[in-house]
């Protein structure tokens, strides 16, 4: 399998009952019957414990062999870590600006390598946010006005949009229903910094392939586009529904 790579955007959540719906399609997109999944975590001191959580969720979704790659805070991801025996890549959750910094040097090489080898990419929370061409990495203020709870700010004040991996053409926010981050994404779209954004609920995945985004899992995905008269228009999609990525 070569020439294409599906992308899976996971909005967060730890519900093991949703593991098959959320992670199963990702595992089945890999070319191997028992895929070897490289799980990349920016390690703030609890990386081994966090990897154990992903290991459990992935194994509940299907036969696979998760392999941890723990990056110390401030250390860059090297695309060469995507060795020949890696069948799928999961970029995990944590402090989103730290993940954006870790992958900043890979934004050209990694997408090309994934496409060349047909390796599916899944991003969980921070990993989903940085999959975007223009990544919403945090913040809770828009020009000094609160648009979401400060606990969701990722150690930032004003909302920041930074270069992402460019695996999907729209901006991504996560934990949408649970953390109230849909409002943050709407603010970024309304002020013209994004032409399209997608906010994903927890225990929910958006699969992006062939110009379409398809929703699975327990929650919803919220597509945010500019309104003709100003502001933003939001349309929400549940499991089994799809929308255009453009």
């Amino acid at each position: 399998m070569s020439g294409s790579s599906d992308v899976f955007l996971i909005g967060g959540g730890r519900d093991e009952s949703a593991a098959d719906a959320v992670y199963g399609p990702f595992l089945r997109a890999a070319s191997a019957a028992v895929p070897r999944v490289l799980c990349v975590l920016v390690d703030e001191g609890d990386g081994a414990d966090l990897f154990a959580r992903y290991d459990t969720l992935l194994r509940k979704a299907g036969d696979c062999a998760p392999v941890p790659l723990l990056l110390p805070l401030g250390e860059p991801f090297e695309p060469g870590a995507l060795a020949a025996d890696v069948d799928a890549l999961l970029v995990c959750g944590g402090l989103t600006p730290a993940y954006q910094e870790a992958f900043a040097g890979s934004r050209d090489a990694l997408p090309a390598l994934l496409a060349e080898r047909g390796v599916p990419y899944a991003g969980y929370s921070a990993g989903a946010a940085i999959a975007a061409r223009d990544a919403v990495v945090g913040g809770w203020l828009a020009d000094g006005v609160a648009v979401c709870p400060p606990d969701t700010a990722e150690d930032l004040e004003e909302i920041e949009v930074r270069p992402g991996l460019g695996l999907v053409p729209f901006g991504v926010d996560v934990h949408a229903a649970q953390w109230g981050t849909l409002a943050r994404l709407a603010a970024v779209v309304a002020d013209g910094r994004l032409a399209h954004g997608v906010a994903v609920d927890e225990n929910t995945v958006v699969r992006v392939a062939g110009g379409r985004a398809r929703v699975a899992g327990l929650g919803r995905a919220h597509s945010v586009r500019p309104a003709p008269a100003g502001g933003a228009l939001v349309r929400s999609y549940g499991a089994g529904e799809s929308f255009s990525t453009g």
Side-chain angles (χ1 to χ4, degrees):
M1 180 178 179
S2 62
S4 64
S5 177
D6 287 4
V7 177
F8 299 81
L9 307 171
I10 301 167
R14 307 181 186 184
D15 191 333
E16 294 183 8
S17 71
D20 180 62
V22 172
Y23 294 92
F26 165 60
L27 295 179
R28 292 188 286 272
S31 57
V34 182
R36 185 174 171 88
V37 184
L38 182 65
C39 302
V40 183
L41 298 100
V42 174
D43 189 2
E44 299 180 64
D46 57 353
D49 290 338
L50 288 177
F51 168 71
R53 184 183 78 198
Y54 296 107
D55 182 83
T56 297
L57 290 168
L58 286 166
R59 292 182 187 275
K60 281 188 172 293
D63 290 338
C64 61
V67 178
L69 175 58
L70 307 184
L71 295 177
L73 197 62
E75 182 174 310
F77 172 80
E78 299 293 344
L82 202 68
D85 62 350
V86 170
D87 304 299
L89 174 63
L90 171 64
V91 178
C92 301
L95 190 64
T96 304
Y99 275 83
Q100 187 273 334
E101 291 166 6
F103 280 83
S106 304
R107 63 191 312 258
D108 294 321
L110 182 59
L113 185 57
L114 292 170
E116 177 186 345
R117 292 188 44 210
V119 172
Y121 174 102
Y124 174 99
S125 190
I130 68 166
R133 180 177 56 230
D134 301 300
V136 179
V137 297
W140 67 291
L141 302 175
D143 294 327
V145 178
V147 295
C148 61
D151 289 348
T152 70
E154 306 274 7
D155 293 344
L156 299 173
E157 294 293 321
E158 285 287 325
I159 301 170
E160 290 195 23
V161 179
R162 300 179 185 175
L165 288 170
L167 295 171
V168 296
F170 48 78
V172 181
D173 217 326
V174 289
H175 309 281
Q178 293 75 19
W179 290 10
T181 52
L182 174 56
R184 174 167 64 196
L185 192 61
V188 176
V189 171
D191 72 11
R193 283 191 280 174
L194 288 178
H196 183 199
V198 176
V200 188
D201 291 348
E202 291 185 0
N203 303 304
T204 306
V205 62
V206 175
R207 180 178 188 167
V208 181
R212 300 292 296 176
R214 179 168 293 276
V215 183
L218 304 183
R220 303 182 72 81
H222 315 272
S223 175
V224 186
R225 301 179 188 271
L233 292 174
V234 179
R235 182 171 179 184
S236 296
Y237 299 85
E241 297 182 307
S242 68
F243 55 92
S244 172
T245 62

